[in-house]
Amino acid sequence: MNKFLFKHIDNSGLIVFRVFFGLLCFLESVGAVFTGWVRKTLVEPEFTFSFIGFEWLQPLPGNWMYVYYVVMGVFGLLIMVGYKYRFSMFMFATMWTATYLMQKSSYNNHYYLLFFLSYLMVFLPANTYASLDARIKPSIKKISMPNWCRWFFIIQLFILYTYASIAKLYPDWLDTSVVALLMKSKANYPLIGEFLQQKTVHYFIAYGGILFDGLIIPALLFKPTRKFAFFASIFFHLFNSIVFQIGIFPYLSLAFSLFFFDPSTIKNIFLKSKTYYSASEVKIPKLNKLFAFVFVTYFIVHIGLPLRHHYFEDDVLWTEEGHRLAWRMMLRAKDGMARFRVVDTETNNAIPINLNDYLSKKQQRNVGTKPDIIWQFAQRLKQDFKKKGKSVKVYASIYVSVNGKPRKRLIDPNVDLANEEWHHFKHHSWIMPSK
């Protein structure tokens, strides 16, 4: 194992990946500003629904979140050119983590991927060639890296895609009803909108998605199928980019292909003047046991997290318990209707709540479908009335449709959510059964 992990290989793949990664970090940051994402998600709302436990983490006031994202973009450019690489990478990782944790209204799996990948990149020797750091300090210049640097990406992607494939193996996906609902919202797309409504296209997307996610990593690792898998990957990710408009994730996924091709191929395409490392030296560090422990523990955690929803009662599609951090990507369509009733504990009088007074339209959609956000809003109402000198109870009347099925009551209307505790590892009995 030591020989396999610490054998040195040519580092062309990692060097080129750093350039692409930094560019994508820049585009994700400034793109969020220019597309209006920052305005809609972080500037206009009165508050954001952060991850539970991070309620203190809220957007900067006024227009400062625009500056925040521009600064992140600058760090992305510094990563790309390899200047003060570890500092720039750490700063981007920290800033991205903060913006990831401070809002759930626009949760996306690629935000999670970028979150932990950014910290990983801090520790990788990605600035040892074709970087300003290596030009300023030639002593750090290297043409090789330990083999684990490559396999870290490969194993991580195998976990990601495997879970994404397995998650699709349920009736509403297999009969294409979910895909049909997802495509219905794309009907007004120019040129392809009508095409996306065809039943044969729905079957192609549904079963093609299962096969692609399940086979792409083995196919990229196997040399005879590598080129075919790469071109299939280009088609798949460009399709997702055009149809679902999910930011940099498709292009980041294509950049990962660098770790599957022979380093000599990457060198000859992108780094023609670089000397190719052809030796097979093994350099085992003194702390190799600690490294092995961290390496194994990291992947045990990433294998375990997507399984946790099986330990909660009921269906994750209904309860959302264990949905996040599990690579459950574009698997369901949910629609909800929400009403909240606040009762003064002293007078027993009901106080009307107009959601428009508290929430943006996007936040209202989340409050109508996601139990954790419903609970957080109840806590928000409780604190809001406490500031006004009132002690209140908060009741929610929520009806939700999953994958186009008839709406059903999601939350027990007789439970005072304001005085319920949140449990990270326990099912909440105030979520009504799905059946």
Side-chain angles (χ1 to χ4, degrees):
M1 177 62 76
N2 279 342
K3 288 184 178 180
F4 177 78
L5 290 176
F6 297 108
K7 178 185 73 173
H8 271 238
I9 61 173
D10 186 86
N11 64 356
S12 296
L14 179 61
I15 300 304
V16 177
F17 180 78
R18 184 206 79 226
V19 175
F20 284 135
F21 186 76
L23 175 61
L24 291 172
C25 289
F26 167 75
L27 293 174
E28 178 72 19
S29 301
V30 298
V33 174
F34 289 109
T35 60
W37 186 93
V38 172
R39 173 177 55 81
K40 293 177 182 177
T41 309
L42 300 171
V43 175
E44 289 182 348
E46 184 180 328
F47 67 97
T48 60
F49 291 106
S50 58
F51 278 69
I52 294 174
F54 293 89
E55 287 81 4
W56 54 271
L57 196 56
Q58 290 288 305
L60 298 173
N63 292 321
W64 281 101
M65 287 309 297
Y66 294 121
V67 178
Y68 186 99
Y69 266 75
V70 169
V71 171
M72 275 206 303
V74 171
F75 282 123
L77 290 178
L78 294 178
I79 293 164
M80 182 177 72
V81 300
Y83 181 69
K84 302 290 184 182
Y85 168 74
R86 296 194 191 281
F87 172 76
S88 299
M89 194 68 256
F90 177 76
M91 289 304 298
F92 178 85
T94 302
M95 294 181 75
W96 184 262
T97 300
T99 194
Y100 170 75
L101 293 174
M102 74 173 58
Q103 67 83 29
K104 293 186 291 189
S105 296
S106 294
Y107 177 84
N108 192 309
N109 278 281
H110 92 256
Y111 298 164
Y112 169 50
L113 175 64
L114 195 56
F115 155 60
F116 65 77
L117 189 60
S118 295
Y119 284 109
L120 168 64
M121 289 290 288
V122 173
F123 299 98
L124 294 180
N127 65 327
T128 55
Y129 193 87
S131 69
L132 291 179
D133 285 348
R135 179 170 293 185
I136 294 169
K137 189 178 180 181
S139 60
I140 71 167
K141 190 173 182 179
K142 295 179 182 177
I143 60 171
S144 69
M145 67 181 183
N147 198 28
W148 66 262
C149 295
R150 172 178 179 250
W151 279 94
F152 215 111
F153 288 98
I154 294 173
I155 297 171
Q156 183 68 69
L157 290 171
F158 179 72
I159 293 170
L160 185 162
Y161 280 110
T162 300
Y163 276 122
S165 179
I166 292 172
K168 293 180 176 70
L169 299 175
Y170 82 100
D172 288 354
W173 184 271
L174 297 175
D175 68 11
T176 75
S177 58
V178 176
V179 177
L181 286 169
L182 294 175
M183 292 303 107
K184 188 176 180 181
S185 63
K186 320 296 179 185
N188 62 341
Y189 278 20
L191 301 178
I192 61 172
E194 186 176 345
F195 173 73
L196 294 175
Q197 309 312 309
Q198 304 300 313
K199 197 66 178 176
T200 52
V201 175
H202 298 167
Y203 274 101
F204 177 78
I205 294 172
Y207 287 87
I210 293 171
L211 291 173
F212 179 86
D213 289 341
L215 299 176
I216 187 60
I217 301 304
L220 283 170
L221 284 171
F222 188 46
K223 190 173 181 178
T225 59
R226 186 172 296 148
K227 288 185 179 179
F228 173 79
F230 178 63
F231 287 116
S233 186
I234 292 174
F235 172 81
F236 178 83
H237 290 301
L238 288 182
F239 177 87
N240 281 342
S241 179
I242 294 168
V243 174
F244 296 108
Q245 300 175 10
I246 48 176
I248 66 167
F249 180 62
Y251 306 98
L252 181 60
S253 297
L254 288 174
F256 287 131
S257 301
L258 291 162
F259 297 105
F260 293 89
F261 285 89
D262 191 287
S264 62
T265 302
I266 305 303
K267 173 213 164 301
N268 292 334
I269 294 173
F270 297 101
L271 301 168
K272 296 182 184 297
S273 62
K274 179 179 179 290
T275 302
Y276 180 69
Y277 181 85
S278 57
S280 56
E281 185 179 5
V282 178
K283 301 177 183 178
I284 301 176
K286 293 181 180 179
L287 298 176
N288 66 303
K289 289 184 178 180
L290 175 62
F291 173 85
F293 174 78
V294 172
F295 190 89
V296 171
T297 301
Y298 174 89
F299 285 115
I300 288 175
V301 170
H302 278 266
I303 291 170
L305 277 175
L307 296 174
R308 71 193 190 284
H309 70 87
H310 292 292
Y311 296 93
F312 290 104
E313 295 177 30
D314 216 328
D315 188 349
V316 63
L317 292 169
W318 178 253
T319 68
E320 298 280 327
E321 294 172 321
H323 172 79
R324 297 188 186 92
L325 319 184
W327 311 119
R328 300 180 58 80
M329 298 178 271
M330 291 182 289
L331 286 174
R332 77 278 194 263
K334 299 183 81 170
D335 176 58
M337 295 174 58
R339 287 190 299 108
F340 286 80
R341 183 167 58 94
V342 172
V343 177
D344 190 318
T345 56
E346 292 185 6
T347 65
N348 211 34
N349 290 332
I351 304 170
I353 297 297
N354 185 344
L355 295 183
N356 293 321
D357 294 337
Y358 294 88
L359 308 171
S360 68
K361 293 300 181 184
K362 178 181 285 189
Q363 289 177 321
Q364 289 183 41
R365 288 193 292 272
N366 280 273
V367 162
T369 57
K370 296 178 172 59
D372 61 328
I373 293 182
I374 293 167
W375 177 84
Q376 284 180 293
F377 184 55
Q379 303 305 305
R380 181 80 184 190
L381 290 172
K382 177 183 178 181
Q383 294 302 317
D384 186 53
F385 280 97
K386 184 177 181 180
K387 292 176 182 177
K388 299 174 184 177
K390 293 184 179 181
S391 174
V392 299
K393 298 178 181 179
V394 180
Y395 302 93
S397 178
I398 315 285
Y399 287 86
V400 172
S401 168
V402 179
N403 297 339
K405 295 180 173 62
R407 283 196 177 100
K408 295 173 58 178
R409 190 182 288 277
L410 177 64
I411 305 298
D412 188 336
N414 299 312
V415 173
D416 171 19
L417 296 178
N419 291 293
E420 287 290 320
E421 292 186 6
W422 183 261
H423 306 284
H424 289 283
F425 305 104
K426 180 181 175 183
H427 174 66
H428 298 87
S429 58
W430 42 264
I431 302 175
M432 301 290 285
S434 61
K435 296 179 182 179

